[in-house]
Amino acid sequence: MADAQPLQPIVEMRSIEKAFGAVQALRKVDLVLYPGEILGLVGDNSAGKSTLMKILTGAYQRDSGEILVAGQPVYFKGPHESRDAGIEMIYQDFALCGNMDVGQNIFLGRWPLRGPFVNRRKMYAEADSVLKRLKVDVNSVYQKVESLSGGRQQSVAIARAISFEPRVVILDEPTANLSVMATERLLETMLELKKQGVAQIIISHRLVDIFAVGDRVMVLKRGEYVGDRYVKNTDEHEVLEIIVSGTRENALTADEARHIDRPSTP
């Protein structure tokens, strides 16, 4: 019997560097993400987390380094190119149009047409289908987004991202402004996406959320990678120690993270 083939990462970022003038934001940062994996990306406010993710989505251009998606080298000139490769990012402000309804927001800028007119029946049916797929609770696809709670607006933003059939979803501080109940619903949605094979990266200061749904946590410190931990093999106290100290001691190196056995995929 042939040996099982190792699981290929859906995303690899190798030796990524980025400077803004005299400020070196990232120094040879590595990141590995596997299909269906939930990775927590943590560190202090100057760690470079958002910069790294904006490079992955094409919002920023890297100075040096390499990015591979499903094993293929890529160079994204803008977010539309990363979207075409199956990568979506959901920002803290959700980027929704409050005066439009749920269905219009999910298909904003790409409304299905019937001749020269918007096919509203198809748009709302497909919007409802995406929401049901995510098992999220939004009262009506006809409801104005501005009338929704923060948690439900978050659900609409996720539904819009999922409507593009992504392989990777990046969430920037997704629970920062949510109630306890809304946070629980969001974490349930993330686990549902995991079941469907969607890989996710959570940028968050809330370790409790990462430990609730994450598989692995990666720490950045002053623009440098300082290691990984499997959630099942660590605790919040240990991760906080790595964040504060920036030590690599006993932390997985990027190469080890790339080659060790991975959790089984959905």
Side-chain angles (χ1 to χ4, degrees):
M1 181 180 293
D3 292 338
Q5 294 297 312
L7 184 63
Q8 182 182 66
I10 187 64
V11 169
E12 289 185 82
M13 304 182 77
R14 300 175 177 174
S15 297
I16 301 298
E17 297 209 340
K18 180 65 178 179
F20 297 97
V23 178
Q24 190 69 36
L26 296 171
R27 298 179 180 85
K28 296 188 179 301
V29 174
D30 291 343
L31 179 146
V32 182
L33 179 70
Y34 286 82
E37 183 179 36
I38 299 179
L39 172 67
L41 184 58
V42 302
D44 56 30
N45 288 332
S46 60
K49 306 181 298 295
S50 293
T51 299
L52 186 65
M53 291 299 95
K54 287 178 180 178
I55 288 173
L56 178 56
T57 60
Y60 290 164
Q61 305 302 306
R62 63 187 185 266
D63 295 336
S64 63
E66 186 180 20
I67 299 175
L68 291 85
V69 175
Q72 299 300 312
V74 296
Y75 193 99
F76 300 136
K77 297 178 182 178
H80 63 288
E81 293 188 2
S82 66
R83 172 171 286 165
D84 290 342
I87 299 172
E88 286 286 331
M89 185 163 181
I90 301 169
Y91 293 93
Q92 280 184 271
D93 63 1
F94 308 150
L96 299 173
C97 294
N99 62 336
M100 293 183 176
D101 62 37
V102 170
Q104 290 170 324
N105 268 277
I106 290 176
F107 288 96
L108 186 64
R110 54 192 176 94
W111 296 322
L113 301 176
R114 183 171 54 193
F117 304 105
V118 175
N119 188 338
R120 297 177 67 84
R121 178 177 293 181
K122 181 178 181 181
M123 178 178 71
Y124 289 116
E126 291 187 359
D128 187 61
S129 177
V130 172
L131 292 169
K132 287 179 178 176
R133 172 186 166 188
L134 292 175
K135 299 181 180 179
V136 298
D137 179 24
V138 173
N139 294 332
S140 170
V141 291
Y142 302 101
Q143 189 171 356
K144 291 288 180 66
V145 162
E146 62 191 2
S147 69
L148 299 175
S149 67
R152 287 190 167 89
Q153 288 188 26
Q154 176 80 284
S155 295
V156 173
I158 293 174
R160 183 177 61 192
I162 293 305
S163 70
F164 286 94
E165 298 292 335
R167 295 182 285 181
V168 177
V169 173
I170 303 161
L171 300 103
D172 187 6
E173 297 289 352
T175 62
N177 300 308
L178 300 185
S179 67
V180 173
M181 185 174 295
T183 295
E184 290 177 356
R185 283 199 299 263
L186 173 63
L187 297 179
E188 289 171 1
T189 299
M190 294 179 68
L191 289 174
E192 185 63 31
L193 288 177
K194 178 181 173 66
K195 289 179 185 177
Q196 297 174 21
V198 179
Q200 297 161 78
I201 300 175
I202 320 170
I203 304 172
S204 182
H205 287 91
R206 287 177 51 85
L207 290 178
V208 63
D209 296 335
I210 292 172
F211 274 77
V213 297
D215 297 299
R216 188 163 50 94
V217 57
M218 169 180 160
V219 183
L220 294 181
K221 181 77 171 181
R222 297 191 187 94
E224 294 188 25
Y225 167 93
V226 291
D228 284 40
R229 285 286 195 277
Y230 279 125
V231 166
K232 66 181 181 181
N233 295 334
T234 188
D235 56 31
E236 292 181 38
H237 178 72
E238 183 180 23
V239 173
L240 281 170
E241 283 187 344
I242 298 173
I243 292 171
V244 173
S245 68
T247 179
R248 294 172 182 263
E249 184 179 358
N250 296 323
L252 294 177
T253 67
D255 190 61
E256 288 170 336
R258 193 175 293 120
H259 291 99
I260 55 181
D261 292 336
R262 311 305 305 176
S264 58
T265 53

